[in-house]
Amino acid sequence: MNDNNILDLEAVGRLKGLVERARKIVLTCHVSPDGDAMGSTLGLARVLQLMGKHPIVVTPDRPPKSLTFLPGYSDVVPASFKPGVASNLLRSADLVVCLDFNASKRVDKMEDYLLQSPATKAMIDHHLDPEGFCDLTISMPRISSTCALLYLIMEAAGWLDYLDRQAASCIYTGMMTDTGNFSYNSNDPRLYHIVADLVSRGVDKDAIYNMACNTFSESCLRLNGYALAEKMQIMRDHQAALIALSLDELQRFGYVKGDTEGLVNRPLAIPGVAYSCFLREDEPGFVKVSMRSKGSFPVNRVCEDYFNGGGHKNAAGGELYMGLDEAIALFMKTLTSNDKYL
Ligand code: 5GP
Ligand code: MN
């Protein structure tokens, strides 16, 4: 593990050795996988396949429909859907690569299968403060996506010959989604060298943007419109915004998982709003917390301190086992102490 901005070549060499020796490789990522989680697992899976390996991607739950275009999507084994198959794959693997997460609890109900697997484990990730549950950890929190880190690893490992259009499309997807289509965390010039190379390998970046980021159902658009028009609260004195949606409201708009992706970012467009919180009542007594900020405001600290979570400085989340009204009251109570970060 290193905390600077230079890839640890010794660690890449060890990863290369592990991959070369492994016969049964499982690739996995965090629960509610996003473009970076799926892009990095499926991108690495494709490259390993072209190297003659037979990797299998096991995800804690189903990947979102918005990513069905990713090559290899239909071969993914979601543990929530096929727990027996997933646990057997993890138990019999000799190498498990953990992509885009830094803590075993991020695989949710799959945590025991992962921790009990006798396989050698390697982490490739960009979240702060990686836990030590892997035998090999390649963690670079200053890189904006696991996919960009994976590209640098592949380059250093001499694997770019295997990066065909399909693998490159996976890598591009994660780089794009984790930077909001290159609108934040995206001032590292290396990113654009990588993008140039991916496009030259045949990636259709415009099509990927439209499929991953600009395709919505009518009910999804209406839910987001309702949330902004009717539910957004701005607490100007605290430079804060809150949107809270109850189970009832979600059901009224035919909510399906993924429909509120990106909603939490929208209030940040308002000048003077430094951070934004979205509370979604997923089940009675369970509220998912999402927070985003701009500038130096550390929403990961807020999520660690009050919302049983964590994440990055500008994008974090947590979980509350309580009703929505109680969760709203808790958020309101944190406003004054959060002022210290402004
Ligand atoms: P999102 O708001 O998109 O669900 O999550 C944004 C980021 O916050 C994730 O990439 C992850 O780093 C972090 N995060 C979200 N939910 C949790 C959580 O429950 N626990 C922790 N530790 N981090 C979370
Ligand atoms: Mn990521």
Side-chain angles (χ1 to χ4, degrees), residues 108-169:
D108 202 37
K109 297 188 180 68
M110 209 176 79
E111 184 176 18
D112 287 346
Y113 302 160
L114 176 63
L115 293 179
Q116 284 161 19
S117 165
T120 303
K121 298 179 193 88
M123 180 194 291
I124 300 176
D125 181 48
H126 71 132
H127 295 87
L128 285 170
D129 307 324
E131 277 182 358
F133 67 95
C134 288
D135 304 280
L136 171 67
T137 298
I138 304 181
S139 165
M140 289 184 67
R142 288 169 67 178
I143 297 235
S144 54
S145 60
T146 296
C147 279
L149 172 57
L150 183 60
Y151 178 96
L152 297 177
I153 290 171
M154 288 175 175
E155 184 181 39
W159 291 348
L160 289 188
D161 285 350
Y162 302 104
L163 192 69
D164 66 351
R165 184 179 60 79
Q166 297 184 50
S169 299

Side-chain angles (χ1 to χ4, degrees), residues 10 50 99 103 122 217-218 250 255 275 286 301-302 321 332:
E10 192 266 334
L50 295 175
L99 292 127
S217 67
E218 179 184 340
L250 294 167
Y255 170 81
Y275 69 109
F286 177 76
R301 297 280 166 259
V302 177
Y321 288 87
M332 292 299 184

Side-chain angles (χ1 to χ4, degrees), residues 4 9-10 17 55 71 90 99 140 171 180 184 227 230 250 254 257 285 304 324:
N4 62 29
L9 295 179
E10 192 266 334
L90 282 161
L99 292 127
M140 289 184 67
I171 301 292
Y184 48 81
E230 310 280 341
L250 294 167
K257 216 171 159 186
E304 282 161 20
L324 187 63

Side-chain angles (χ1 to χ4, degrees), residues 105-106 127 261 288 290 292 308-312 315-319:
K105 87 176 203 357
R106 295 284 291 139
H127 295 87
E261 190 74 44
K288 180 67 202 165
S290 270
R292 297 290 185 275
N308 309 310
H312 312 264
E319 307 176 328

